[in-house]
Amino acid sequence: MTLYAEIATLIAEGRAFVLATVIESAGSTPQKPGSKMVVLEDGSLRGTVGGGAIEFQIIEAARQLLASPERTRTLETHLTHELGMCCGGRMKVFLEKHEAPMRLTLFGAGHVAREVAALALHVDFRVTVVDARPEWATSERFPGCEVLLKDPADHARALNSDARDCFCVTTHDHPLDQAVLEALLPKPSAYLGVIGSRRKAERFRMRLEAAGVEAAALERLRSPMGLPIGALTPAEIAVSIVAELIQVRRSASPRK
């Protein structure tokens, strides 16, 4: 498999990596400009930029880049003076981070969820749709998405999430919305939103407070979810929700 095919596979799998490219060299160096290597989060490699101390230095710099807010970094090294290699040359390497796409899980497969899924896919979220209704949760209605035919609350309880997960609760039933919410609130996430009116949101907050949910957890809840653009139709509501998801992904100031 060529390096470009491996990169395409990593992107399709939603894995983060750094692409290291030799952009300049002088003197004797193990690789010349154009040589590329992919570094994954665990330090595993695809391709090579020469091996030895220079490759180890690039791997370490790439892993640091993956853990930082930066997107690119340039590394320039004299192989003999700085690394003790016998080559005697100099290499400049450009590091470019490719982040794993954020995962969006839609609990409920109704009209709004269908529009949100399509738009979220278009702006590079990985989308999973969960609904127990076989006539709604189909790959035909949600092309390009992972579709799970199961109870949303059960899935929410069993879900392992991290700080890059986004959750949108859009089920057909208010008690089910609340059951999903109660399961998701203790879990890490970048975004947790529930569709509905402000009145519904206030009722949910009151019930959750009565159930002992801490105020800090409730502060994470976005309901009504979506930016306030006066949306009415499912497609317009999807625009407002996905816009808010993008705002979170880009670390913009949250909605007031």
Side-chain angles (χ1 to χ4, degrees):
M1 183 182 291
T2 68
L3 182 62
Y4 291 109
E6 297 221 32
I7 289 172
T9 299
L10 292 171
I11 291 171
E13 292 173 350
R15 300 178 68 182
F17 63 91
V18 167
L19 176 62
T21 304
V22 180
I23 56 174
E24 286 183 21
S25 68
S28 177
T29 60
Q31 293 288 349
K32 300 303 179 185
S35 299
K36 299 178 186 298
M37 178 176 72
V38 168
V39 183
L40 279 70
E41 289 178 293
D42 61 1
S44 59
L45 309 177
R46 308 287 189 274
T48 182
V49 289
I54 181 61
E55 192 159 280
F56 179 79
Q57 184 188 59
I58 292 168
I59 293 167
E60 289 302 300
R63 296 183 74 180
Q64 291 171 15
L65 181 59
L66 282 167
S68 80
E70 299 173 79
R71 299 191 63 84
T72 63
R73 186 176 294 178
T74 301
L75 187 67
E76 186 168 9
T77 305
H78 193 288
L79 277 61
T80 300
H81 297 165
E82 297 177 47
L83 298 178
M85 296 177 70
C86 61
C87 302
R90 179 181 56 81
M91 285 175 60
K92 182 182 287 189
V93 180
F94 180 68
L95 305 178
E96 179 184 7
K97 178 165 65 178
H98 294 256
E99 293 182 309
M102 293 182 78
R103 181 173 65 173
L104 169 63
T105 303
L106 294 164
F107 294 88
H111 300 299
V112 171
R114 186 179 186 182
E115 298 286 352
V116 170
L119 188 53
L121 280 175
H122 191 61
V123 293
D124 299 324
F125 284 86
R126 298 186 72 191
V127 182
T128 298
V129 182
V130 187
D131 200 304
R133 300 170 296 170
E135 69 275 21
W136 291 85
T138 68
S139 57
E140 290 77 19
R141 295 189 74 245
F142 294 93
C145 302
E146 180 184 19
V147 181
L148 303 179
L149 186 62
K150 61 190 298 187
D151 180 81
D154 288 344
H155 182 70
R157 295 184 192 104
L159 186 65
N160 291 320
S161 64
D162 61 38
R164 288 179 55 80
D165 274 285
C166 297
F167 302 128
C168 291
V169 183
T170 64
T171 82
H172 61 290
D173 181 69
H174 285 196
L176 182 55
D177 281 348
Q178 183 159 344
V180 172
L181 257 186
E182 289 175 354
L184 292 178
L185 275 167
K187 299 177 185 286
S189 65
Y191 181 95
L192 174 55
V194 184
I195 199 166
S197 65
R198 294 191 180 279
R199 184 173 180 181
K200 173 185 173 181
E202 287 304 317
R203 287 203 302 268
F204 271 21
R205 284 189 172 87
M206 289 174 61
R207 290 170 186 161
L208 291 166
E209 285 175 353
V213 175
E214 295 182 0
L218 290 175
E219 280 297 312
R220 296 172 43 228
L221 178 60
R222 300 184 183 226
S223 185
M225 63 178 166
L227 298 181
I229 61 173
L232 292 176
T233 68
E236 290 175 345
I237 294 168
V239 169
S240 74
I241 292 170
V242 175
E244 190 167 55
L245 289 169
I246 293 169
Q247 186 184 65
V248 168
R249 184 171 66 184
R250 298 298 186 193
S251 299
S253 299
R255 176 192 60 178
K256 299 298 184 182

